[in-house]
Coordinates of all heavy atoms in Angstrom, one line a residue:
M274 N -20.7 -0.6 3.6 CA -20.3 -1.9 4.1 C -19.0 -1.8 4.7 O -18.1 -1.5 4.1 CB -20.6 -3.0 3.1 CG -20.3 -4.4 3.7 SD -20.6 -5.7 2.4 CE -18.9 -5.7 1.6
L275 N -18.8 -2.3 6.0 CA -17.5 -2.5 6.5 C -16.7 -3.6 5.9 O -17.4 -4.7 5.8 CB -17.5 -2.5 8.0 CG -18.0 -1.3 8.8 CD1 -18.1 -1.6 10.3 CD2 -17.0 -0.2 8.6
R276 N -15.6 -3.5 5.6 CA -14.9 -4.5 5.0 C -13.7 -4.9 5.8 O -13.2 -4.2 6.6 CB -14.3 -4.1 3.6 CG -15.4 -4.0 2.6 CD -15.1 -3.3 1.4 NE -14.8 -1.9 1.7 CZ -14.6 -0.9 0.7 NH1 -14.7 -1.3 -0.6 NH2 -14.3 0.3 1.0
R277 N -13.2 -6.1 5.8 CA -12.2 -6.7 6.7 C -10.8 -6.3 6.3 O -10.1 -5.9 7.2 CB -12.3 -8.2 6.6 CG -11.3 -8.9 7.4 CD -11.3 -10.4 7.3 NE -11.2 -10.8 5.9 CZ -10.0 -11.4 5.4 NH1 -9.0 -11.6 6.2 NH2 -9.9 -11.7 4.2
A278 N -10.4 -6.2 5.1 CA -9.0 -6.0 4.7 C -8.5 -4.7 5.4 O -7.4 -4.8 5.8 CB -8.9 -6.1 3.3
P279 N -9.1 -3.5 5.3 CA -8.5 -2.4 5.8 C -8.0 -2.5 7.2 O -6.9 -2.1 7.6 CB -9.5 -1.3 5.6 CG -10.3 -1.8 4.5 CD -10.4 -3.3 4.7
L280 N -8.9 -3.1 8.1 CA -8.5 -3.2 9.5 C -7.3 -4.2 9.7 O -6.4 -3.9 10.4 CB -9.7 -3.7 10.3 CG -9.5 -4.0 11.8 CD1 -9.0 -2.8 12.4 CD2 -10.6 -4.6 12.4
V281 N -7.4 -5.2 8.9 CA -6.3 -6.3 9.0 C -5.1 -5.6 8.6 O -4.1 -5.7 9.3 CB -6.6 -7.4 8.1 CG1 -5.4 -8.3 8.0 CG2 -7.8 -8.3 8.7
V282 N -4.9 -4.8 7.5 CA -3.8 -4.2 7.0 C -3.3 -3.2 8.1 O -2.1 -3.1 8.2 CB -3.9 -3.7 5.6 CG1 -2.7 -2.9 5.3 CG2 -4.2 -4.8 4.7
L283 N -4.2 -2.4 8.6 CA -3.8 -1.4 9.5 C -3.0 -2.0 10.7 O -2.0 -1.5 11.1 CB -4.9 -0.6 10.0 CG -4.8 0.4 11.2 CD1 -3.7 1.4 10.8 CD2 -6.0 1.1 11.5
L284 N -3.6 -3.1 11.2 CA -3.0 -3.7 12.4 C -1.8 -4.4 12.0 O -0.8 -4.5 12.8 CB -4.1 -4.6 13.1 CG -5.2 -3.8 13.7 CD1 -6.3 -4.8 14.2 CD2 -4.8 -3.0 14.8
A285 N -1.7 -4.9 10.8 CA -0.4 -5.6 10.3 C 0.6 -4.6 10.4 O 1.8 -4.8 10.6 CB -0.7 -6.1 8.9
C286 N 0.4 -3.3 10.0 CA 1.4 -2.2 10.1 C 1.9 -2.2 11.6 O 3.0 -1.8 11.7 CB 0.7 -0.9 9.7 SG 0.5 -0.6 8.0
L287 N 1.1 -2.4 12.5 CA 1.5 -2.4 13.9 C 2.1 -3.6 14.4 O 2.5 -3.8 15.4 CB 0.3 -2.0 14.7 CG -0.4 -0.7 14.3 CD1 -1.7 -0.5 15.1 CD2 0.5 0.6 14.5
G288 N 2.2 -4.7 13.5 CA 2.8 -5.9 13.8 C 2.0 -6.8 14.5 O 2.3 -7.8 15.1
A289 N 0.5 -6.6 14.5 CA -0.3 -7.3 15.2 C -1.2 -8.2 14.3 O -2.3 -8.6 14.7 CB -1.2 -6.4 16.2
G290 N -0.9 -8.2 13.0 CA -1.9 -8.9 12.0 C -2.2 -10.2 12.4 O -3.4 -10.6 12.4
A291 N -1.2 -11.1 12.8 CA -1.5 -12.4 13.1 C -2.5 -12.6 14.3 O -3.3 -13.3 14.4 CB -0.3 -13.3 13.3
A292 N -2.3 -11.6 15.2 CA -3.0 -11.7 16.5 C -4.3 -11.4 16.4 O -5.2 -12.1 17.0 CB -2.3 -10.9 17.6
I293 N -4.7 -10.6 15.3 CA -6.2 -10.2 15.3 C -6.8 -10.9 14.2 O -8.1 -10.8 14.1 CB -6.3 -8.7 15.1 CG1 -5.6 -8.2 13.8 CG2 -5.7 -7.9 16.3 CD1 -6.4 -8.3 12.6
A294 N -6.1 -11.7 13.4 CA -6.8 -12.3 12.3 C -8.0 -13.2 12.6 O -9.0 -13.1 12.0 CB -5.8 -13.1 11.5
P295 N -7.9 -13.9 13.8 CA -9.1 -14.7 14.1 C -10.4 -13.9 14.4 O -11.5 -14.4 14.4 CB -8.6 -15.4 15.4 CG -7.1 -15.5 15.3 CD -6.8 -14.1 14.7
L296 N -10.2 -12.6 14.7 CA -11.4 -11.8 15.1 C -12.0 -11.2 13.9 O -13.1 -10.6 13.9 CB -10.9 -10.6 16.1 CG -10.3 -11.0 17.3 CD1 -9.8 -9.8 18.0 CD2 -11.3 -11.9 18.1
S297 N -11.4 -11.4 12.7 CA -12.0 -10.8 11.5 C -13.2 -11.6 11.0 O -13.3 -12.8 11.3 CB -10.9 -10.9 10.3 OG -9.7 -10.1 10.7
V298 N -14.1 -10.8 10.4 CA -15.3 -11.4 9.9 C -14.9 -12.1 8.7 O -14.3 -11.5 7.6 CB -16.3 -10.3 9.6 CG1 -17.5 -10.9 9.0 CG2 -16.7 -9.7 10.9
P299 N -15.2 -13.4 8.5 CA -14.8 -14.1 7.2 C -15.5 -13.4 6.1 O -16.7 -13.1 6.2 CB -15.3 -15.4 7.4 CG -15.5 -15.6 9.0 CD -15.9 -14.3 9.4
V300 N -14.8 -13.3 4.9 CA -15.4 -12.8 3.7 C -15.2 -13.8 2.6 O -14.1 -14.5 2.7 CB -15.0 -11.5 3.3 CG1 -15.5 -10.5 4.4 CG2 -13.5 -11.4 3.1
P301 N -16.0 -14.0 1.6 CA -15.7 -14.8 0.5 C -14.4 -14.4 -0.2 O -14.0 -13.2 -0.2 CB -16.9 -14.8 -0.5 CG -17.9 -14.1 0.3 CD -17.2 -13.3 1.4
A302 N -13.7 -15.4 -0.8 CA -12.6 -15.0 -1.6 C -13.0 -14.0 -2.7 O -14.0 -14.2 -3.3 CB -12.0 -16.3 -2.2
Q303 N -12.2 -13.0 -2.9 CA -12.5 -12.0 -3.9 C -11.3 -11.3 -4.3 O -10.2 -11.4 -3.6 CB -13.5 -11.0 -3.3 CG -13.1 -10.3 -2.1 CD -14.1 -9.4 -1.5 OE1 -15.2 -9.7 -1.6 NE2 -13.7 -8.3 -0.7
A304 N -11.4 -10.4 -5.3 CA -10.3 -9.7 -5.8 C -9.8 -8.7 -4.6 O -10.6 -8.2 -3.8 CB -10.6 -8.8 -6.9
A305 N -8.4 -8.5 -4.5 CA -7.9 -7.5 -3.5 C -8.6 -6.2 -3.6 O -9.0 -5.8 -4.8 CB -6.5 -7.5 -3.6
E306 N -8.7 -5.5 -2.6 CA -9.2 -4.1 -2.6 C -8.2 -3.2 -3.2 O -7.0 -3.3 -2.8 CB -9.7 -3.7 -1.3 CG -11.0 -4.4 -0.8 CD -11.5 -3.8 0.5 OE1 -12.2 -2.7 0.3 OE2 -11.3 -4.4 1.5
R307 N -8.7 -2.2 -3.9 CA -7.7 -1.2 -4.5 C -7.9 0.2 -3.8 O -9.1 0.6 -3.5 CB -8.0 -1.1 -6.0 CG -7.1 -0.1 -6.8 CD -7.6 0.0 -8.2 NE -7.7 -1.2 -8.8 CZ -6.7 -1.7 -9.7 NH1 -5.6 -1.0 -9.9 NH2 -6.8 -2.9 -10.2
W308 N -6.9 0.9 -3.5 CA -6.9 2.1 -2.9 C -6.1 3.1 -3.6 O -5.2 2.8 -4.2 CB -6.3 2.0 -1.4 CG -7.0 1.0 -0.6 CD1 -6.7 -0.4 -0.5 CD2 -8.2 1.1 0.2 NE1 -7.6 -1.0 0.4 CE2 -8.5 -0.1 0.7 CE3 -9.0 2.3 0.5 CZ2 -9.7 -0.2 1.6 CZ3 -10.1 2.1 1.2 CH2 -10.4 1.0 1.8
E309 N -6.5 4.3 -3.5 CA -5.7 5.4 -4.1 C -5.1 6.3 -3.0 O -5.7 6.4 -2.0 CB -6.7 6.3 -4.8 CG -7.3 5.7 -6.1 CD -8.2 6.7 -6.9 OE1 -8.0 7.8 -6.6 OE2 -9.0 6.2 -7.7
A310 N -4.0 6.7 -3.3 CA -3.1 7.5 -2.2 C -2.3 8.5 -2.9 O -1.9 8.4 -4.1 CB -2.4 6.5 -1.3
R311 N -1.8 9.4 -2.0 CA -0.8 10.4 -2.4 C 0.3 10.3 -1.3 O 0.0 10.1 -0.2 CB -1.4 11.8 -2.4 CG -2.3 12.0 -3.6 CD -3.3 13.1 -3.3 NE -2.8 14.3 -2.8 CZ -2.5 15.4 -3.6 NH1 -2.9 15.4 -4.8 NH2 -2.1 16.5 -3.0
G312 N 1.5 10.7 -1.7 CA 2.6 10.6 -0.7 C 3.9 11.1 -1.2 O 4.0 11.5 -2.5
V313 N 4.9 10.9 -0.5 CA 6.3 11.2 -0.8 C 7.3 10.0 -0.6 O 7.2 9.4 0.5 CB 6.8 12.5 0.0 CG1 8.3 12.8 -0.3 CG2 5.9 13.6 -0.2
I314 N 8.1 9.7 -1.6 CA 9.0 8.6 -1.4 C 10.0 8.9 -0.5 O 10.7 9.9 -0.6 CB 9.5 8.2 -2.9 CG1 8.4 7.7 -3.8 CG2 10.7 7.2 -2.7 CD1 8.9 7.4 -5.2
E315 N 10.2 8.0 0.5 CA 11.2 8.3 1.6 C 12.4 7.3 1.3 O 13.6 7.9 1.6 CB 10.7 8.0 2.9 CG 9.5 9.0 3.3 CD 9.5 9.2 4.8 OE1 9.9 8.3 5.6 OE2 9.1 10.3 5.2
R316 N 12.3 6.2 0.9 CA 13.4 5.3 0.6 C 13.0 4.2 -0.3 O 11.8 3.8 -0.3 CB 14.0 4.8 1.9 CG 13.2 4.1 2.9 CD 13.8 3.6 4.1 NE 14.8 2.6 3.7 CZ 14.5 1.2 3.7 NH1 13.3 0.9 4.0 NH2 15.4 0.3 3.5
F317 N 14.0 3.5 -0.8 CA 13.8 2.2 -1.6 C 14.5 1.1 -0.7 O 15.5 1.2 -0.2 CB 14.4 2.4 -2.9 CG 13.8 3.4 -3.8 CD1 14.3 4.7 -4.0 CD2 12.6 3.2 -4.5 CE1 13.7 5.7 -4.7 CE2 12.0 4.1 -5.3 CZ 12.5 5.4 -5.3
G318 N 13.8 -0.1 -0.9 CA 14.5 -1.3 -0.4 C 15.5 -1.8 -1.4 O 15.6 -1.3 -2.5
A319 N 16.2 -2.8 -1.0 CA 17.2 -3.4 -1.9 C 16.6 -3.8 -3.2 O 15.5 -4.3 -3.3 CB 17.7 -4.7 -1.2
E320 N 17.3 -3.4 -4.3 CA 17.0 -3.7 -5.7 C 15.6 -3.1 -5.9 O 14.9 -3.6 -6.8 CB 16.9 -5.1 -5.9 CG 18.3 -5.7 -5.7 CD 18.4 -7.3 -5.9 OE1 17.4 -7.9 -6.1 OE2 19.5 -7.8 -5.7
R321 N 15.1 -2.2 -5.2 CA 13.8 -1.5 -5.4 C 12.6 -2.5 -5.3 O 11.7 -2.3 -6.1 CB 13.8 -0.7 -6.6 CG 14.8 0.5 -6.6 CD 14.5 1.6 -7.5 NE 15.4 2.7 -7.3 CZ 15.3 4.0 -7.8 NH1 14.2 4.3 -8.5 NH2 16.1 4.9 -7.5
K322 N 12.8 -3.6 -4.6 CA 11.7 -4.5 -4.4 C 10.7 -4.0 -3.4 O 9.6 -4.7 -3.3 CB 12.3 -5.8 -4.0 CG 13.0 -6.5 -5.2 CD 13.7 -7.8 -4.8 CE 14.3 -8.5 -5.9 NZ 15.1 -9.8 -5.5
S323 N 10.9 -2.8 -2.8 CA 10.0 -2.2 -2.0 C 10.3 -0.7 -2.0 O 11.4 -0.3 -2.3 CB 10.1 -2.8 -0.5 OG 11.2 -2.4 0.0
V324 N 9.3 0.0 -1.5 CA 9.5 1.4 -1.5 C 8.7 1.9 -0.3 O 7.6 1.5 0.0 CB 9.0 2.2 -2.7 CG1 7.5 1.9 -3.1 CG2 9.2 3.7 -2.7
S325 N 9.3 2.9 0.5 CA 8.7 3.4 1.7 C 8.2 4.7 1.3 O 8.9 5.6 0.8 CB 9.7 3.5 2.9 OG 9.0 3.9 4.1
I326 N 6.9 4.9 1.5 CA 6.1 6.1 1.1 C 5.4 6.7 2.3 O 4.8 6.0 3.1 CB 5.1 5.9 0.1 CG1 5.8 5.3 -1.2 CG2 4.4 7.2 -0.3 CD1 4.9 4.9 -2.4
A327 N 5.7 8.0 2.6 CA 5.0 8.8 3.5 C 3.7 9.2 2.9 O 3.7 10.1 2.1 CB 5.8 10.0 4.0
H328 N 2.6 8.4 3.2 CA 1.4 8.7 2.6 C 0.4 9.5 3.4 O 0.5 9.6 4.6 CB 0.7 7.4 2.2 CG 0.2 6.5 3.2 ND1 -0.9 6.9 4.0 CD2 0.6 5.4 3.8 CE1 -1.2 5.9 4.9 NE2 -0.2 5.0 4.8
E329 N -0.4 10.3 2.6 CA -1.4 11.1 3.2 C -2.5 10.1 3.8 O -2.5 9.0 3.5 CB -2.0 12.1 2.3 CG -1.0 13.1 1.8 CD -1.6 14.0 0.7 OE1 -2.7 13.9 0.4 OE2 -0.8 14.8 0.2
A330 N -3.5 10.5 4.5 CA -4.5 9.8 5.0 C -5.3 9.2 3.8 O -5.5 9.9 2.7 CB -5.6 10.7 5.7
I331 N -5.7 7.9 3.9 CA -6.4 7.3 2.9 C -7.8 6.9 3.5 O -8.0 6.0 4.3 CB -5.7 5.9 2.5 CG1 -4.3 6.2 2.1 CG2 -6.4 5.2 1.4 CD1 -3.3 5.0 1.9
P332 N -8.8 7.8 3.1 CA -10.2 7.6 3.7 C -10.6 6.2 3.7 O -10.7 5.6 2.5 CB -11.0 8.6 2.8 CG -10.0 9.6 2.4 CD -8.8 8.9 2.1
G333 N -11.1 5.7 4.8 CA -11.7 4.3 4.8 C -10.6 3.2 5.0 O -10.9 2.0 5.1
Y334 N -9.3 3.7 5.0 CA -8.2 2.6 5.0 C -7.3 2.9 6.2 O -7.1 2.1 7.1 CB -7.5 2.8 3.7 CG -6.4 1.7 3.5 CD1 -6.8 0.4 3.3 CD2 -5.0 2.0 3.6 CE1 -5.8 -0.6 3.1 CE2 -4.1 1.0 3.5 CZ -4.4 -0.2 3.3 OH -3.5 -1.2 3.2
M335 N -6.7 4.1 6.3 CA -5.8 4.4 7.4 C -5.4 5.9 7.3 O -5.6 6.6 6.3 CB -4.6 3.5 7.4 CG -3.7 3.8 6.3 SD -2.0 2.9 6.5 CE -2.5 1.3 6.6
G336 N -5.0 6.4 8.4 CA -4.5 7.8 8.6 C -3.1 8.0 7.9 O -2.6 6.9 7.4
A337 N -2.7 9.2 7.9 CA -1.3 9.4 7.3 C -0.2 8.7 8.1 O -0.3 8.7 9.3 CB -1.1 10.9 7.4
M338 N 0.7 8.1 7.4 CA 1.9 7.4 8.0 C 2.9 7.1 6.9 O 2.7 7.3 5.8 CB 1.4 6.1 8.7 CG 0.9 5.1 7.7 SD 0.4 3.6 8.5 CE 2.0 2.9 8.8
T339 N 3.9 6.5 7.4 CA 5.0 6.1 6.4 C 4.9 4.5 6.5 O 5.0 4.0 7.6 CB 6.4 6.6 6.8 OG1 6.4 8.0 6.6 CG2 7.4 6.0 5.9
M340 N 4.8 3.9 5.3 CA 4.9 2.5 5.3 C 5.4 1.9 3.9 O 5.6 2.7 3.0 CB 3.5 1.9 5.6 CG 2.5 2.0 4.6 SD 1.0 1.3 5.2 CE 0.0 1.3 3.8
S341 N 5.6 0.7 3.9 CA 6.3 0.1 2.7 C 5.3 -0.6 1.8 O 4.3 -1.1 2.2 CB 7.2 -1.0 3.2 OG 8.0 -1.6 2.1
F342 N 5.5 -0.4 0.5 CA 4.8 -0.9 -0.6 C 5.7 -1.7 -1.5 O 6.9 -1.5 -1.6 CB 4.0 0.1 -1.4 CG 3.1 1.0 -0.6 CD1 3.6 2.0 0.2 CD2 1.8 0.7 -0.6 CE1 2.7 2.9 0.9 CE2 0.9 1.5 0.2 CZ 1.4 2.6 0.9
E343 N 5.1 -2.6 -2.2 CA 5.9 -3.5 -3.1 C 5.5 -3.0 -4.5 O 4.2 -2.9 -4.8 CB 5.6 -5.0 -3.1 CG 5.9 -5.6 -1.7 CD 5.5 -7.0 -1.8 OE1 5.4 -7.7 -2.8 OE2 5.4 -7.6 -0.6
P344 N 6.4 -2.9 -5.4 CA 6.1 -2.6 -6.9 C 5.4 -3.9 -7.5 O 5.8 -5.0 -7.1 CB 7.3 -2.2 -7.6 CG 8.4 -2.9 -6.7 CD 7.9 -2.9 -5.3
K345 N 4.6 -3.7 -8.5 CA 4.1 -4.8 -9.1 C 5.1 -5.5 -10.0 O 5.0 -6.7 -10.2 CB 2.9 -4.2 -10.1 CG 1.9 -5.2 -10.7 CD 0.8 -4.5 -11.3 CE -0.1 -5.5 -11.9 NZ -1.2 -4.7 -12.6
N346 N 6.1 -4.7 -10.6 CA 7.1 -5.3 -11.3 C 8.4 -4.4 -11.1 O 8.3 -3.4 -10.6 CB 6.8 -5.5 -12.9 CG 6.3 -4.0 -13.4 OD1 7.2 -3.1 -13.4 ND2 5.1 -3.9 -13.8
T347 N 9.6 -4.8 -11.7 CA 10.7 -4.3 -11.3 C 10.9 -3.0 -12.0 O 11.7 -2.1 -11.6 CB 11.9 -5.2 -11.6 OG1 11.8 -5.6 -12.9 CG2 12.0 -6.3 -10.7
E348 N 10.3 -2.7 -13.1 CA 10.4 -1.5 -14.0 C 9.6 -0.3 -13.3 O 9.8 0.8 -13.6 CB 10.0 -1.7 -15.3 CG 10.7 -2.7 -16.2 CD 10.5 -4.1 -15.9 OE1 9.3 -4.4 -15.4 OE2 11.4 -5.0 -16.0
Q349 N 8.7 -0.7 -12.5 CA 7.7 0.3 -12.1 C 8.3 1.5 -11.2 O 7.8 2.7 -11.4 CB 6.6 -0.4 -11.1 CG 5.3 0.4 -11.0 CD 4.3 -0.5 -10.2 OE1 4.7 -1.2 -9.4 NE2 3.0 -0.3 -10.5
L350 N 9.4 1.3 -10.6 CA 10.0 2.3 -9.7 C 11.2 2.9 -10.3 O 11.8 3.8 -9.8 CB 10.3 1.8 -8.4 CG 9.1 1.3 -7.5 CD1 9.6 0.7 -6.2 CD2 8.1 2.4 -7.2
A351 N 11.6 2.5 -11.5 CA 12.8 2.9 -12.2 C 13.0 4.4 -12.3 O 14.1 4.9 -12.1 CB 13.0 2.2 -13.5
R352 N 11.9 5.1 -12.6 CA 12.1 6.5 -12.9 C 11.9 7.4 -11.7 O 11.8 8.6 -11.8 CB 11.1 6.9 -14.0 CG 11.4 6.3 -15.3 CD 10.4 6.6 -16.4 NE 9.1 6.2 -16.1 CZ 8.1 7.1 -15.7 NH1 8.3 8.3 -15.6 NH2 6.9 6.7 -15.3
F353 N 11.7 6.9 -10.5 CA 11.4 7.6 -9.3 C 12.7 7.8 -8.4 O 13.6 7.1 -8.5 CB 10.3 7.0 -8.5 CG 9.0 7.0 -9.3 CD1 8.7 5.9 -10.2 CD2 8.1 8.0 -9.1 CE1 7.5 5.9 -10.8 CE2 6.9 8.1 -9.8 CZ 6.6 7.0 -10.7
A354 N 12.7 8.8 -7.6 CA 13.7 9.2 -6.7 C 13.1 9.5 -5.4 O 12.0 9.9 -5.2 CB 14.5 10.3 -7.3
I355 N 14.1 9.4 -4.4 CA 13.7 9.8 -3.0 C 13.3 11.3 -3.1 O 13.9 12.1 -3.7 CB 14.8 9.6 -2.1 CG1 15.0 8.0 -1.9 CG2 14.6 10.3 -0.7 CD1 16.3 7.7 -1.1
G356 N 12.2 11.5 -2.4 CA 11.6 12.9 -2.3 C 10.5 13.2 -3.4 O 9.9 14.3 -3.4
D357 N 10.4 12.3 -4.4 CA 9.3 12.5 -5.3 C 7.9 12.5 -4.6 O 7.6 11.6 -3.8 CB 9.4 11.3 -6.4 CG 10.4 11.7 -7.5 OD1 11.0 12.7 -7.5 OD2 10.6 10.7 -8.3
R358 N 7.1 13.4 -5.1 CA 5.7 13.4 -4.7 C 5.0 12.5 -5.6 O 5.0 12.9 -6.9 CB 5.2 14.9 -4.7 CG 5.9 15.7 -3.5 CD 5.9 17.2 -3.9 NE 4.4 17.6 -4.1 CZ 3.6 18.0 -3.0 NH1 4.1 18.0 -1.8 NH2 2.4 18.4 -3.1
V359 N 4.2 11.6 -5.1 CA 3.5 10.7 -6.1 C 2.0 10.5 -5.8 O 1.6 10.7 -4.6 CB 4.3 9.3 -6.0 CG1 5.6 9.4 -6.5 CG2 4.3 8.7 -4.6
S360 N 1.3 10.1 -6.8 CA 0.0 9.6 -6.6 C 0.1 8.1 -7.1 O 0.7 7.8 -8.0 CB -1.0 10.4 -7.5 OG -1.1 11.7 -7.1
F361 N -0.6 7.2 -6.3 CA -0.5 5.8 -6.6 C -1.8 5.1 -6.3 O -2.6 5.6 -5.4 CB 0.8 5.3 -6.1 CG 0.9 5.2 -4.5 CD1 0.6 4.2 -3.7 CD2 1.1 6.5 -3.9 CE1 0.6 4.1 -2.3 CE2 1.2 6.5 -2.5 CZ 1.0 5.4 -1.7
T362 N -1.9 3.9 -6.9 CA -3.0 3.1 -6.4 C -2.4 1.8 -6.1 O -1.3 1.4 -6.6 CB -4.0 2.8 -7.6 OG1 -3.3 2.2 -8.7 CG2 -4.7 4.0 -8.1
F363 N -2.9 1.1 -5.1 CA -2.3 -0.2 -4.7 C -3.5 -1.1 -4.1 O -4.6 -0.7 -3.9 CB -1.4 0.0 -3.5 CG -2.0 0.7 -2.3 CD1 -2.4 -0.3 -1.2 CD2 -2.2 2.0 -2.1 CE1 -2.9 0.2 0.0 CE2 -2.8 2.4 -0.9 CZ -3.1 1.6 0.1
T364 N -3.2 -2.4 -4.1 CA -4.1 -3.3 -3.6 C -3.4 -3.9 -2.4 O -2.2 -4.0 -2.2 CB -4.4 -4.5 -4.6 OG1 -3.2 -5.1 -5.0 CG2 -5.1 -3.9 -5.8
D365 N -4.3 -4.3 -1.4 CA -3.7 -5.1 -0.3 C -4.2 -6.5 -0.4 O -5.3 -6.8 -0.9 CB -4.1 -4.5 1.1 CG -5.6 -4.4 1.3 OD1 -6.3 -5.4 1.2 OD2 -6.1 -3.3 1.6
T366 N -3.2 -7.4 -0.1 CA -3.5 -8.8 -0.3 C -3.8 -9.5 1.0 O -3.7 -8.9 2.1 CB -2.2 -9.5 -0.9 OG1 -1.2 -9.4 0.1 CG2 -1.8 -8.7 -2.1
D367 N -4.4 -10.7 1.0 CA -4.8 -11.4 2.2 C -3.7 -11.7 3.1 O -3.8 -11.9 4.2 CB -5.5 -12.6 1.7 CG -7.0 -12.3 1.3 OD1 -7.4 -11.3 1.5 OD2 -7.5 -13.3 0.6
D368 N -2.4 -11.7 2.4 CA -1.4 -11.9 3.4 C -0.6 -10.7 3.9 O 0.6 -10.7 4.2 CB -0.3 -12.9 2.7 CG 0.1 -12.4 1.3 OD1 -0.3 -11.4 0.9 OD2 1.1 -13.0 0.8
G369 N -1.3 -9.5 3.6 CA -0.8 -8.4 4.3 C 0.1 -7.5 3.4 O 0.7 -6.4 3.9
R370 N 0.4 -7.9 2.2 CA 1.3 -7.1 1.3 C 0.5 -6.0 0.6 O -0.7 -6.1 0.4 CB 1.9 -8.0 0.3 CG 2.9 -9.0 0.8 CD 3.5 -9.9 -0.2 NE 2.5 -10.5 -1.0 CZ 2.4 -10.5 -2.3 NH1 3.3 -9.8 -3.0 NH2 1.5 -11.1 -3.1
R371 N 1.1 -4.9 0.3 CA 0.5 -3.9 -0.4 C 1.2 -3.7 -1.7 O 2.4 -3.2 -1.6 CB 0.6 -2.5 0.4 CG -0.4 -2.7 1.8 CD 0.0 -1.6 2.7 NE 1.3 -1.9 3.2 CZ 1.6 -2.6 4.3 NH1 0.6 -3.3 5.0 NH2 2.8 -2.7 4.7
V372 N 0.5 -3.9 -2.8 CA 1.2 -4.0 -4.1 C 0.8 -2.8 -5.0 O -0.4 -2.6 -5.1 CB 0.8 -5.3 -4.8 CG1 1.5 -5.3 -6.2 CG2 1.3 -6.5 -3.9
I373 N 1.8 -2.1 -5.4 CA 1.4 -0.8 -6.2 C 1.0 -1.3 -7.6 O 1.7 -2.0 -8.2 CB 2.7 0.1 -6.3 CG1 3.1 0.6 -5.0 CG2 2.4 1.2 -7.3 CD1 4.4 1.3 -4.9
E374 N -0.2 -0.8 -8.0 CA -0.8 -1.0 -9.3 C -0.3 -0.1 -10.2 O 0.1 -0.4 -11.4 CB -2.3 -1.1 -9.2 CG -2.9 -2.2 -8.3 CD -2.5 -3.6 -9.0 OE1 -2.7 -3.7 -10.1 OE2 -2.2 -4.5 -8.2
S375 N -0.4 1.2 -9.8 CA 0.2 2.3 -10.8 C 0.7 3.4 -9.9 O 0.3 3.5 -8.7 CB -1.0 2.8 -11.6 OG -2.0 3.4 -10.9
I376 N 1.7 4.2 -10.5 CA 2.2 5.2 -9.6 C 2.7 6.3 -10.6 O 3.3 6.0 -11.7 CB 3.4 4.7 -8.8 CG1 3.9 5.9 -8.0 CG2 4.5 4.0 -9.6 CD1 4.9 5.4 -6.9
T377 N 2.4 7.5 -10.3 CA 2.9 8.7 -11.1 C 3.4 9.8 -10.2 O 3.0 9.9 -9.1 CB 1.7 9.2 -12.0 OG1 0.6 9.6 -11.1 CG2 1.1 8.3 -13.0
K378 N 4.2 10.7 -10.9 CA 4.6 11.9 -10.0 C 3.6 12.9 -10.2 O 2.8 12.9 -11.1 CB 5.9 12.4 -10.7 CG 7.1 11.5 -10.6 CD 8.4 12.0 -11.2 CE 9.5 11.0 -11.2 NZ 10.7 11.5 -11.9
R379 N 3.5 13.7 -9.2 CA 2.5 14.8 -9.2 C 3.2 16.2 -8.9 O 4.3 16.2 -8.5 CB 1.4 14.4 -8.2 CG 1.8 14.4 -6.9 CD 0.6 14.0 -5.9 NE 1.1 13.7 -4.6 CZ 1.3 14.5 -3.6 NH1 1.0 15.8 -3.9 NH2 1.7 14.2 -2.4
Ligands
CU630 CU1 0.0 3.2 6.1

């Protein structure tokens, strides 16, 4: 089944999320979708409230690219450094944020 969220988030990456939202197929309110990915940490945002990860292709979601994710809590990124190779899971939210659920070095 094709799902709405991946397309919306992909286009949100391109800065067009608001423009394409009306074209999305409505879906009932439900839990955010969870995705698994691998990548390399490129930079941290202020106070590590975000992290930019060069991620590999995520089948069914998007191709390889670098983009920003939000940690679920402030402790989550404490042990990581720029250049770390990581495996992580995240959810995308209806407002276009991508929240890291779990993250480990690999
Ligand atoms: Cu991406």
